[in-house]
Amino acid sequence: MAALHEEPAEVAAVQPDPDAGTPPPPPAVPPAAAPAAGPAATAEGEVAGGGGDAAPAKPAAPGPAASPAALDRQTLVAVLQFLRRSNLRESEEILRREARLLGDDLGAVALSPASAGLLGGSGSDADSGEALLGRATSAAAVAIGGNVATVATSSPGVAAVAAVPPGKGAVVVEDQPDVSAVLSAYNQQGDPTLYEEYYSGLKHFIECSLDCHRAELSQLFYPLFVHMYLELVYNQHESEAKSFFERFHGDQECYYQDDLRVLSSLTKKEHMKGNETMLDFRTSKFVLRISRDSYQLLKRHLQEKQNNQIWNIVQEHLYIDIFDGMPRSKQQIDAMVGSLAGEAKREANKAKVFFGLLKEPEFDVPLDDEDEEGENEEGKPKKKKPKKDNVGSKSKKQDPNAPPQNRIPLPELKDSDKLDKVMNMKEAARRVRLGPECLPSICFYTFLNAYQGLTAVDITDDSSMIVGGFADSTVRVWSVTPKKLRSVKTAADLSLIDKESDDVLERIMDEKTASELKILYGHSGPVYGTSFSPDSLWATDHYQPLRIFAGHLADVTCTRFHPNSNYIATGSADRTIRLWDVLNGNCVRIFTGHKGPIHSLAFSPNGRFLATGATDGRVLLWDIGHGLMVGELKGHTDTIYALRFSRDGEILASGSMDNTVRLWDAVKAFEDLETDDFTTATGHINLPENSQDLLLGTYMTKSTPVVHLHFTRRNLLLAAGAYSSQ
C-alpha cells in the first residue's frame, strides 16, 4: 500500500497597411481570371492561402484557344447553373444581379469541357469537380467585384456559396469534412518523379535568400514536405514517396520528429484512411506568419519558375498570415512555432477577455479572541483594535478589466462558505511576503512504495488533505493535520441526532471510523485527474456536461479555471493552449510556442497572466489581455508537471520530472512589458535571450519527480511526488 511520508531529507528551507496591390500575374494567365476570392486584407496585413492569389501559369493544353472574356463568361455561367441545380436560389440571384446577367442568359453560352466537369461527369472529370468549382467561383468573384464568399464542400457534388456585402471579408461555409472528401484533395496533379526536384529547388532558393527572409521562408519546409509526401502516398507512388521521405525528413526541425515518426508509418493509401494525425493535419490549414516582403519574394519565385505543384499546396493547405513590418528573426519564430497546425492566427487572439477579478461579496469579519477587550498579565485593560468595515471585500472598487458581476451565475454564499473565507483572510493577514530576498520554505511529501502508480495529486485549499489518483483505479485521501478523516454515521444513529444543534456537523461523524487514510473505489481505469471542490461550486445535479469545449486537434492533457471563473484554460497534446469562455463556449485565445504536449497551467493571482509547462522543459508566460507570449523560462531538463504562483503573485514555482523544484521571480518577469500597438499588431515581442537572472533557486530531491505544487495560505510551498528507485 502506498505510504505518505514527509521526507525531511527532501525539504528545502530558505528563510529570511492598406494593401499596396497584388503583383501582376504571369502572362500566360488571363488577366480577368488571375486573382481569386480569398479572405479580405486587414489593416495589419493580408491573408494568403486558400485561394488568396493566382497560381503560376500552367502549360496550355492543346486545342483552340478561347478569349479571356469567353473563358470568364463560361466560368460564371457554370457557377450559376450549379447554384440553380443545387437549389441555392438566393445565392444565384445575388451572383446574377451583381454580374448583370439575365435569367435567359444561362443557356446561351456553351460550356467548355472543364466547366462541364464542374456540374457532373464521370471518371477523372467527376473526381476533380470540387477543385474546378472552387476555381470557377474564385474567377466569378473577380467578375462581380469580389462579393462572393469562398466555396467549401463536404462531399462530392455538394457545395455552399454565401454572399457578403462589399468591403466585408469573405466567409467560408464549411461542414466537417469526411474521410473521402479529405483524401480526395490529394488527387495527382503533377509528375511524381519531379517532386524531389520541386522541393529541392525551393529549398535551394530559400537557403540562398537574404538572412532576413531565410528564417521566415524556412517555415514552409515542414508543411510542404508533409503534404507532398501524403500526395505521393495517396496516389500510390510508394517508391517515390519513400525516396522523398528518406531524402528530406532529416532537414525538418527537431520538434517535429514525433510527427515524422507517425508520418513514416503511412506508406500505403490504405494507411491514410482513418488516421487521426493525417486527418488533423489535412483538415486544419497550417498557419504561417510571414512579413509582406518575404511573401512577395516567395510569390515571385514560384511564378517565375512556374512551380504549380508547390503553389497549389500553398493555396490549398496553408494559411499565410501576412503582416507589415520587418521580417521576424529566427529566435522570434522559434519561440512561437511548433504546434501541430503551426502558429495561431492573430485574429484568434483579438477577442475581448475580462481577465480582472470579481469584487467579492462584502461581510463583516468577527474579531479574534485575542483582539477582544480584556486584561493583560499586568491587570491593565488591553487596547481594543479598531474593527474594519466590510473587510471581506478585496477591493471596494470594481476592477475595470473584470467581467460584469452577474455574467456567470454564482451561488449565494452559505454560512459555512463565509466562515471559510473569514479563516482564509485571517490566514492571509499572517502571510509571509515573498520576494528575491525572502524565499518560501518548501515541504516535500513523498509517496513511498507507490507500486500502484501515482498518476495525479491534489491538495485542498486549506492544506488539510492530500489526494492521490493511481493507475489501479483507486483514489486515496490522506489527512495531513491531526484531525482525522471520519465517515458519516448510519441512518439509525443519525435519527437520534438533534439536527438543530450548533455542532450537528460534528455529531453526524462516526468517531469509530476515524483514520488518516480513506480509499475510494469506483473507477475502472487509471485516475489521471483529481480535484477538491474549492467552495462547492461544482454542479453535481447534472449528469450531462454543462459545456463542451471542442477545438483541440489531440488529447486534452490539463485544465485550469481562471480566478474569476469566467474562463477555463486547456492544454493539449497538439502543443497548443486554448482559453475558453465559460459563458458561451467560444475559444478566445490560442497560444502556440511549446514543442511538446502541455502538462501544466497556472494563472497569476491577479488573473492577467498564464504560465504553461510542457514536455519540452520550458515554462512560457502569456499576457491574456493582449494575447501575447511575454516570457520564456529555461532550466528544466524534463517534462514540467507542476506550476504554481505564490498567493501574492511574487514567486512562480515549477516542478519537473528532472527531480527539481525551481523558483522564479514573477514580478521581474512581468515588469516593463513591451506591449505597444506594433507589438500587438504583429503578434510577437523580443524575448530576453537568458532567463537565468529570473531564477531564484533550484532545489533537488533524492530521486522523486515533482508532480504537484501548492502554496498554503501563509505562502509555505508544498510539493509532492512518488519516489522512483531508478
Side-chain angles (χ1 to χ4, degrees):
M1 182 177 70
L4 183 64
H5 173 63
E6 296 187 27
E7 186 176 352
E10 299 196 9
V11 175
V14 181
Q15 300 293 341
D17 119 41
D19 196 272
T22 304
V29 179
T42 62
E44 293 81 8
E46 67 181 29
V47 174
D53 290 280
K58 294 183 179 181
S67 67
L71 288 173
D72 209 26
R73 186 177 179 84
Q74 287 179 348
T75 302
L76 180 59
V77 172
V79 175
L80 288 170
Q81 290 186 351
F82 175 83
L83 294 175
R84 174 171 292 185
R85 293 187 184 187
S86 300
N87 245 358
L88 300 171
R89 294 291 183 179
E90 184 178 352
S91 299
E92 177 195 345
E93 289 297 327
I94 294 173
L95 182 58
R96 187 191 300 113
R97 184 168 61 252
E98 295 289 344
R100 296 180 176 83
L101 277 180
L102 300 178
D104 295 340
D105 292 336
L106 289 179
V109 180
L111 298 179
S112 67
S115 298
L118 247 170
L119 306 175
S122 60
S124 60
D125 289 338
D127 290 340
S128 59
E130 294 179 27
L132 287 171
L133 178 58
R135 297 191 187 100
T137 308
S138 298
V142 175
I144 64 174
N147 292 334
V148 174
T150 307
V151 173
T153 63
S154 59
S155 58
V158 179
V161 180
V164 295
K168 301 293 183 181
V171 179
V172 178
V173 181
E174 185 174 13
D175 293 327
Q176 185 66 26
D178 57 23
V179 177
S180 60
V182 169
L183 296 180
S184 65
Y186 289 124
N187 281 327
Q188 180 65 40
Q189 295 183 4
D191 187 344
T193 61
L194 297 179
Y195 273 48
E196 293 189 21
E197 181 180 335
Y198 295 150
Y199 190 88
S200 60
L202 178 66
K203 185 172 180 287
H204 176 75
F205 162 74
I206 292 176
E207 290 177 345
C208 294
S209 60
L210 295 177
D211 293 344
C212 61
H213 300 298
R214 186 186 308 134
E216 287 196 324
L217 295 180
S218 295
Q219 299 178 76
L220 287 164
F221 289 151
Y222 176 68
L224 286 176
F225 170 81
V226 173
H227 284 295
M228 293 177 78
Y229 175 77
L230 291 176
E231 199 167 272
L232 288 170
V233 172
Y234 179 77
N235 292 283
Q236 300 181 344
H237 302 296
E238 297 172 8
S239 60
E240 289 85 354
K242 181 179 180 181
S243 174
F244 182 83
F245 187 92
E246 291 178 349
R247 180 176 177 183
F248 297 114
H249 82 278
D251 298 336
Q252 311 308 319
E253 297 286 357
C254 60
Y255 40 80
Y256 291 126
Q257 293 308 310
D258 289 341
D259 298 334
L260 292 175
R261 276 193 289 271
V262 176
L263 192 67
S264 65
S265 65
L266 304 176
T267 58
K268 297 182 181 295
K269 181 178 180 180
E270 294 76 16
H271 298 164
M272 298 175 66
K273 296 181 180 179
N275 184 278
E276 262 186 46
T277 301
M278 194 284 304
L279 288 176
D280 288 339
F281 197 88
R282 172 61 189 92
T283 56
S284 302
K285 286 194 172 184
F286 197 91
V287 180
L288 306 174
R289 191 178 301 168
I290 296 179
S291 66
R292 188 180 300 277
D293 290 344
S294 297
Y295 173 70
Q296 296 294 355
L297 183 67
L298 170 69
K299 185 176 176 182
R300 284 195 297 269
H301 168 76
L302 294 178
Q303 288 177 343
E304 290 172 1
K305 298 297 183 180
Q306 296 189 7
N307 197 333
N308 297 321
Q309 200 62 41
I310 288 182
W311 185 253
N312 287 340
I313 292 178
V314 171
Q315 293 292 86
E316 294 176 15
H317 302 301
L318 307 187
Y319 181 104
I320 301 182
D321 190 357
I322 301 173
F323 65 90
D324 293 307
M326 293 293 294
R328 293 187 296 172
S329 66
K330 181 170 176 54
Q331 178 200 12
Q332 290 175 321
I333 295 172
D334 286 344
M336 299 298 297
V337 300
S339 79
L340 199 60
E343 292 191 50
K345 302 175 185 178
R346 285 175 295 160
E347 287 73 18
N349 292 331
K350 290 186 177 180
K352 172 71 173 178
V353 172
F354 301 101
F355 58 82
L357 302 183
L358 293 171
K359 184 179 180 182
E360 294 191 358
E362 300 178 354
F363 53 88
D364 294 334
V365 179
L367 294 174
D368 290 336
D369 294 338
E370 62 269 20
D371 293 337
E372 295 180 357
E373 189 173 1
E375 294 184 354
N376 58 20
E377 295 178 356
E378 299 178 358
K380 296 180 180 180
K382 291 182 178 179
K383 292 183 179 180
K384 185 176 181 179
K385 294 183 180 179
K387 181 178 179 181
K388 297 182 180 179
D389 294 330
N390 300 325
V391 293
S393 174
K394 290 185 177 179
S395 173
K396 293 184 178 181
K397 294 182 180 180
Q398 180 72 27
D399 188 333
N401 297 306
Q405 197 75 19
N406 59 351
R407 188 173 186 266
I408 297 293
L410 299 175
E412 292 290 334
L413 288 179
K414 300 177 183 178
D415 291 340
S416 59
D417 298 328
K418 293 181 180 179
L419 181 60
D420 185 66
K421 285 185 175 293
V422 169
M423 295 302 297
N424 192 351
M425 286 183 288
K426 289 181 178 179
E427 292 286 336
R430 303 182 179 94
R431 179 182 301 158
V432 177
R433 183 62 183 266
L434 301 179
E437 304 301 325
C438 182
L439 299 180
S441 296
I442 306 174
C443 178
F444 202 103
Y445 290 102
T446 302
F447 290 77
L448 299 176
N449 305 318
Y451 54 85
Q452 303 94 339
L454 182 69
T455 51
V457 177
D458 193 28
I459 300 175
T460 55
D461 185 68
D462 63 1
S463 309
S464 63
M465 291 184 289
I466 184 171
V467 61
F470 292 86
D472 65 354
S473 75
T474 61
V475 176
R476 299 165 185 259
V477 184
W478 284 269
S479 172
V480 292
T481 66
K483 189 175 182 179
K484 295 185 177 181
L485 304 176
R486 297 166 294 173
S487 301
V488 179
K489 292 181 178 179
T490 63
D493 293 334
L494 289 176
S495 63
L496 304 176
I497 296 176
D498 180 9
K499 296 180 176 57
E500 300 298 327
S501 60
D502 295 336
D503 59 346
V504 63
L505 294 179
E506 285 293 325
R507 289 173 176 263
I508 64 174
M509 296 299 178
D510 188 356
E511 291 295 337
K512 297 178 181 178
T513 63
S515 65
E516 295 181 350
L517 168 66
K518 292 292 183 183
I519 303 178
L520 308 179
Y521 300 95
H523 290 288
S524 58
V527 180
Y528 288 113
T530 57
S531 177
F532 288 102
S533 178
D535 46 17
S536 303
L537 289 176
W538 297 128
T540 57
D541 55 340
H542 295 74
Y543 66 91
Q544 292 180 330
L546 301 179
R547 284 285 184 273
I548 296 178
F549 305 102
H552 281 294
L553 301 180
D555 294 342
V556 175
T557 50
C558 54
T559 61
R560 181 74 62 184
F561 268 98
H562 188 274
N564 65 23
S565 304
N566 279 248
Y567 303 94
I568 184 172
T570 58
S572 170
D574 66 5
R575 307 189 286 277
T576 68
I577 303 100
R578 290 177 179 250
L579 187 69
W580 308 86
D581 192 333
V582 173
L583 180 65
N584 49 36
N586 293 338
C587 180
V588 294
R589 290 290 183 268
I590 303 177
F591 296 135
T592 62
H594 279 295
K595 309 303 186 284
I598 288 82
H599 284 285
S600 54
L601 305 166
F603 285 102
S604 62
N606 63 9
R608 182 182 173 186
F609 302 105
L610 174 67
T612 61
T615 59
D616 56 9
R618 299 156 65 228
V619 177
L620 299 185
L621 307 176
W622 310 90
D623 184 326
I624 296 174
H626 292 89
L628 297 172
M629 181 194 296
V630 295
E632 178 184 23
L633 307 179
K634 296 180 179 179
H636 285 293
T637 58
D638 208 333
T639 302
I640 300 171
Y641 274 110
L643 287 171
R644 192 72 65 175
F645 282 93
S646 61
R647 297 280 177 151
D648 49 20
E650 301 276 338
I651 301 291
L652 173 63
S654 59
S656 169
M657 296 296 286
D658 62 7
N659 303 342
T660 66
V661 174
R662 294 175 184 258
L663 302 180
W664 309 88
D665 189 340
V667 174
K668 189 175 181 180
F670 294 129
E671 66 182 1
D672 300 328
L673 294 178
E674 299 177 6
T675 52
D676 53 21
D677 293 339
F678 174 76
T679 296
T680 304
T682 55
H684 61 265
I685 65 171
N686 293 316
L687 299 176
E689 295 184 4
N690 192 351
S691 60
Q692 292 305 303
D693 58 337
L694 300 176
L695 181 63
L696 300 177
T698 301
Y699 307 96
M700 296 189 64
T701 67
K702 289 180 178 178
S703 184
T704 305
V706 185
V707 298
H708 188 76
L709 294 170
H710 173 83
F711 275 97
T712 69
R713 292 171 177 175
R714 298 193 187 186
N715 267 340
L716 169 67
L717 179 57
L718 306 181
Y723 178 80
S724 175
S725 58
Q726 297 179 352

